[in-house]
Every structure is written in C-alpha cells, then in structure tokens.
Amino acid sequence: MFPLRVTDVEINIKSKRLIGPINLEIEQNGISILLGANGSGKTTLLEALHGLKKLSAGKVEWTISHSLAAKEQAFVFQSPIMLRRTVAENLAFPLKVRRLSKSTATAEAMAWAKKIGLENKIKQQAVLLSGGEMQAIAVARALITKPKMLFLDEPTASLDGATKKTIEDILIFASRNGTKIVMSTHDLGQAKRLAKDIIFLHRGVVEAHCSKEKFLTEPTSKAAKQFLAGDIVL
Amino acid sequence: MNEILQGLIQAFWLVLSFDSELITISLRSLYVTVTALVISALIAFPLAAFLVVTRFTFRRAIVVTLNALMGLPPVVVGLIVYILFSRSGPLGVLGLLYTTSAMIIAQVIIITPLITSIAHQSMQELWSDYRNLLISINISKMQRVGTLMWDSKRALITACLAGFGRGIGEVGAIMIVGGNIDNATRVLTTAISLETSRGDFALALALGFVLISLAMSVSFATHWFGKTERGDLR
Ligand SMILES: Nc1ncnc2c1ncn2[C@@H]1O[C@H](COP(=O)(O)OP(=O)(O)OP(=O)(O)O)[C@@H](O)[C@H]1O
Ligand SMILES: [Mg+2]
C-alpha cells in the first residue's frame, strides 16, 4: 500500500523545466526524506505534491479522494509563515477553521505550546519571535489537526541542537501515530536519524529512491556519491 | 488676522455655550458621513478581500477602475446623483433629493472606491504573505476573506479614517444633492460655504474650527485605539 503515487510529473515555468519528469511511490510507513543540493527542486516537488503548484504534466494520486486528501495533509514551509496574531492564536488557527469549539482549540494550542517549550510565550505576537521559535510553531500548527500526511520543507535548517531534537522527537512520535511524513533536508545526520527511505533529487529529477541503508552504503548515482562525500568533507 | 482671532474666539464661545444650531449642524455632519462610511466599509472591505483571494477574468480591470474612481470629482458625483434622484430622473419617485439620504448616497459613491483601494492594497500584501499557508490549511474562500479582513484590521481602520476625512470635508456633492437647507440638510461644510459667501467670516471660521477638531479627534481616537489594540507590535 502506498498513500501517494506520482506519475510523470513535470513543472515548467515559461518553458523552463523546474522539475520532472518524476515518478514516485511514497509508502505509508516511516519518514521519507528528500535530499538534494540547493536548487535541485525539493521545495518545488513538495509544493507540487501538496497541491500548491500547478502541474505542467503528469498526476499525483492519493489512495483517498483528492478532496479528502486536501483536508488530511499539512505543510511546513521552508521559511515559516506566521499569522499576525499571538502564538496561541497561530496554533489554534487550523482547529478554528475546522470549526472546533473554542475551548478545545485553546486547550490543544496550550498542549502544543508546552510540547515545543513556548508555553510562556503564548500571548506574544508570533511574528516577533525568533526564527527557530516560529519554525517550531509552524510544525506544531501543522500537526495540531493530526493530519494523515505532513510535508516539511527543511524545517530544522536554522535551529540549534536542542530545538532540532525537540522537533525531531515530535516528528518521530507523529510518524508512529499514523502521520506519514515527507521531509526535505540538507542535514545528512538528520536523514540518518529519521529516514526510512531516501529520495535523492538532482537537477529536478529523482536519481535514487531507496532505503536509507542502501542509499548511505551503496549510492547508485555519481551525484549521490558526491552529495555523501560532501558531507564527509564538511 | 483680526478675523481669524475673532473667529477663534467666537468658535470657542459657540462650542463652550453648546450653541444648539452648531451642535445640530455638527451632529448632522457626523450622521451623514458616519452612515456613509459604515455603508462604504460594508461594501468595500469584503469586496477588496474578495478581489485579493480570487482570480477571475475582469479582476484586474475592476481593480484599475476602482483606483481610477478614487479621483472622481465629488461635484460630478453630486451631479449624477442629482440627475438620478431629481423629480424627472429614474429614481425620482423615491423623493430623496434634498434629504440627508441623498447626501449619504453621494458620499458612499465618493468614499467606497477610496477605501476599497486602500484596503485592497494592504490585503494584497498580507495575502502574498499568507497565501501558501491559507491554501495549505485548506480553508474556504469565505474564511480566507475573513482572515484577511481580521488580520489587516489596522489598515482597515486607517482606510476608514481616510474615508471619514474625505466625507466630512466634502462639500461639492452634498451641496448639490442636499441643497444646504436650514434645519434639514445643512452640514458643517455647506454652512461654512454659505457663511463665507455671506461675508460672515467669523462664523465661517468658527464652523471650520469645529470641523477640524472633529476630524482631528477622530484621528487621535483611532490612533489611540490602534495602539492599545496591538500593544507592542509596531
Ligand atoms: N517561480 C519560479 N520561477 C523560476 N524558477 C524557479 C521558480 N521557483 C523555483 N525555480 C527554480 O527551480 C529550481 C528548484 O527550486 P527549488 O526551490 O525547488 O529548489 P530547492 O531544492 O528547494 O533548493 P533549496 O535547497 O535552496 O531550498 C531552482 O533552480 C529555482 O531557481
Ligand atoms: Mg527549498
């Protein structure tokens, strides 16, 4: 079983090929990590899967209907988008739009604020917080609806070790509790810690999609070898 | 110079003695402009938000037209409303000419494009921030409109302020459609115009003084409200 199948997807802007053609099957279990250099197309691919980018060709199919899939997924953007509201209101927002009662939404927001260690800042304006704090809020806000599918675009790129650990733990917990996670990262260490399978993107195409172990020990493509070697040099 | 001084003294005197005619005229001014402003806001803000969150064929044309209508000369608006509501006009049966209702209608036409444009501009900026998040959270069009309006409320208050200033100081249109009838449609601006032509500069100045104080106190009140509302956020 796979929750998501990508067939011959291409995204072009004014005859410039950004990504594609891409064929992928993403399975229900574990965390799938999207690896690739800057400009390789990670953001474009994730946004395409989430339905934020219009496909120039191909299709993205879910095991559930498209309209249901749209409700059951969430996205954490590379640069966090904060509503011009308080931390609590940011966290509660997805619940509020789904018309949950105010008390439930507030309680959930408080619980998530605790999980990310921001319970003392719930009354503050979110846009005034640090980049790392905003990123943590974005992750919590995405998970607050318990989505079936969560896309994250380099969510821990600017975080210190402790915050990164907090978020990784939250993601592992969510993954074990039925949320499929697809996440891009630059951080090979993170890929090693989290991934079940690795999707390696190079110049807009998938050069490898295999288990983490296989990718790390016997990378098939030249670009993947270089990517792994780059990590050792650094 | 002497006249200005006299005007100020007389203005103080009129205000301090709660001159009943002055109060009636001032309240009528406020009634006409505030009513027009409320109606305009009810049209303008949802319209502006709708124009931001939807894409349809004539959207840009509408935005450009609204911007152009901002510069609509009030006298011409007055003329058009006059023709519509004059006894032989298409809406003549309503018998609204030379009433405050006609004045309100004229001011709605003058104010609406102005505050729509201001609101549209700021909501457009907010939307480019929010777009991906709001689409990702899968909220309805109506909810997008609501979120944009709520989160740009400060800009909307500023728009109202601009609309109030435009309306309260406007004389050309309301003179034509209201007729400056004593005890019926006379407002501050038309009274000033009358007293000036009569040569009673002192009274005209006194009225002008009240007009300026009205505009300024609304502005201060709004500013103060905005400050307490948002706390430390710029
Ligand atoms: N709207 C756009 N118009 C033109 N080119 C674009 C557009 N969006 C992305 N690109 C190009 O598509 C390519 C892939 O971009 P993308 O943002 O997906 O890369 P990425 O893998 O996420 O990179 P990074 O690691 O820096 O975030 C880049 O070469 C980028 O310049
Ligand atoms: Mg990216």
Side-chain angles (χ1 to χ4, degrees):
Chain A
M1 268 294 275
F2 51 87
L4 183 60
R5 182 205 293 256
V6 180
T7 318
D8 297 325
V9 161
E10 289 175 23
I11 291 189
N12 308 317
I13 288 186
K14 292 182 190 130
S15 79
K16 186 189 166 214
R17 168 78 49 90
L18 300 191
I19 55 166
I22 286 182
N23 289 284
L24 263 183
E25 279 182 12
I26 292 177
E27 293 186 0
Q28 176 61 51
N29 295 323
I31 297 177
S32 299
I33 294 278
L34 193 55
L35 280 177
N38 290 127
S40 57
K42 301 184 294 297
T43 299
T44 310
L45 176 58
L46 286 173
E47 291 191 353
L49 298 182
H50 188 47
L52 286 170
K53 282 238 158 40
K54 216 167 166 265
L55 308 181
S56 309
K59 58 188 175 185
V60 175
E61 288 166 299
W62 300 79
T63 43
I64 46 179
S65 79
H66 256 269
S67 61
L68 199 57
K71 289 197 194 82
E72 290 288 354
Q73 49 181 305
F75 201 104
V76 174
F77 295 93
Q78 194 162 1
S79 46
I81 303 175
M82 289 294 110
L83 297 167
R84 294 175 195 176
R85 303 182 182 191
T86 64
V87 172
E89 287 167 327
N90 264 278
L91 291 171
F93 186 71
L95 299 178
K96 220 181 118 207
V97 260
R98 284 168 167 73
R99 306 204 187 289
L100 267 81
S101 78
K102 205 178 162 188
S103 55
T104 315
T106 313
E108 278 290 300
M110 192 60 207
W112 274 98
K114 280 212 183 80
K115 281 185 211 177
I116 55 175
L118 291 178
E119 68 268 34
N120 294 326
K121 302 199 173 178
I122 49 165
K123 292 251 160 60
Q124 288 190 23
Q125 289 294 324
V127 292
L128 297 178
L129 298 183
S130 77
E133 290 167 333
M134 287 196 255
Q135 199 58 275
I137 293 169
V139 172
R141 188 181 53 198
L143 279 169
I144 205 164
T145 58
K146 301 197 178 68
K148 291 225 162 61
M149 183 99 180
L150 173 63
F151 299 102
L152 302 103
D153 194 4
E154 300 189 35
T156 60
S158 60
L159 305 186
D160 63 33
T163 320
K164 193 183 279 188
K165 175 87 168 58
T166 309
I167 299 223
E168 286 183 5
D169 288 346
I170 288 174
L171 294 179
I172 292 168
F173 183 83
S175 168
R176 288 195 185 129
N177 283 277
T179 297
K180 171 65 197 182
I181 289 175
V182 181
M183 169 174 157
S184 76
T185 183
H186 271 129
D187 183 343
L188 208 51
Q190 184 168 54
K192 286 176 188 163
R193 287 192 295 277
L194 298 181
K196 176 166 181 288
D197 56 318
I198 285 181
I199 302 159
F200 181 70
L201 263 189
H202 182 61
R203 296 193 181 150
V205 296
V206 176
E207 282 222 348
H209 182 197
C210 54
S211 72
K212 162 175 74 180
E213 291 75 19
K214 180 160 190 304
F215 182 80
L216 293 173
T217 50
E218 38 185 310
T220 43
S221 80
K222 195 167 155 242
K225 276 191 194 104
Q226 278 170 349
F227 188 87
L228 289 171
D231 180 64
I232 292 158
V233 175
L234 282 172
Chain B
M1 196 57 230
N2 194 25
E3 258 154 9
I4 294 178
L5 204 63
Q6 260 185 7
L8 287 178
I9 292 167
Q10 194 177 348
F12 270 120
W13 179 240
L14 285 171
V15 172
L16 289 178
S17 65
F18 292 103
D19 180 81
S20 70
E21 203 190 343
L22 180 72
I23 288 174
T24 315
I25 291 180
S26 305
L27 287 180
R28 193 176 295 122
S29 264
L30 277 177
Y31 164 70
V32 168
T33 300
V34 170
T35 311
L37 188 58
V38 168
I39 296 170
S40 294
L42 290 176
I43 301 169
F45 297 157
L47 173 65
F50 181 78
L51 286 173
V52 167
V53 301
T54 45
R55 291 284 169 270
F56 56 94
T57 320
F58 294 112
R59 197 189 67 90
R60 276 231 62 82
I62 293 177
V63 173
V64 171
T65 311
L66 279 169
N67 283 335
L69 287 179
M70 265 203 296
L72 210 58
V75 199
V76 179
V77 174
L79 178 63
I80 292 165
V81 174
Y82 183 92
I83 293 170
L84 287 176
F85 287 96
S86 69
R87 211 174 306 150
S88 54
L91 300 173
V93 282
L94 299 175
L96 290 180
L97 202 61
Y98 301 135
T99 64
T100 45
S101 302
M103 295 156 73
I104 291 168
I105 291 167
Q107 292 215 334
V108 167
I109 298 173
I110 292 166
I111 295 172
T112 304
L114 175 72
I115 64 174
T116 309
S117 293
I118 298 175
H120 180 263
Q121 171 108 35
S122 63
M123 287 198 232
Q124 185 84 62
E125 271 167 37
L126 194 63
W127 178 240
S128 64
D129 266 21
Y130 279 13
R131 182 188 173 276
N132 277 344
L133 177 68
L134 295 191
I135 293 177
S136 167
I137 288 179
N138 191 41
I139 73 178
S140 69
K141 280 242 160 71
M142 285 308 289
Q143 288 176 320
R144 290 178 202 176
V145 167
T147 305
L148 277 187
M149 292 203 323
W150 180 252
D151 283 10
S152 53
K153 51 188 177 297
R154 268 159 73 78
L156 300 189
I157 290 172
T158 309
C160 284
L161 204 58
F164 180 82
R166 182 111 203 252
I168 198 86
E170 193 277 318
V171 58
I174 52 175
M175 183 73 104
I176 296 178
V177 302
N180 192 25
I181 300 166
D182 199 8
N183 274 323
T185 59
R186 183 162 301 165
V187 292
L188 284 168
T189 50
T190 54
I192 291 173
S193 162
L194 178 72
E195 298 310 332
T196 308
S197 63
R198 271 189 188 158
D200 191 345
F201 298 122
L203 182 55
L205 268 173
L207 291 161
F209 181 71
V210 173
L211 182 59
I212 291 171
S213 327
L214 265 186
M216 292 212 323
S217 45
V218 167
S219 173
F220 282 131
T222 317
H223 184 73
W224 177 79
F225 169 77
K227 249 191 155 160
T228 49
E229 162 82 4
R230 265 309 168 109
D232 50 354
L233 191 62
R234 261 163 292 161

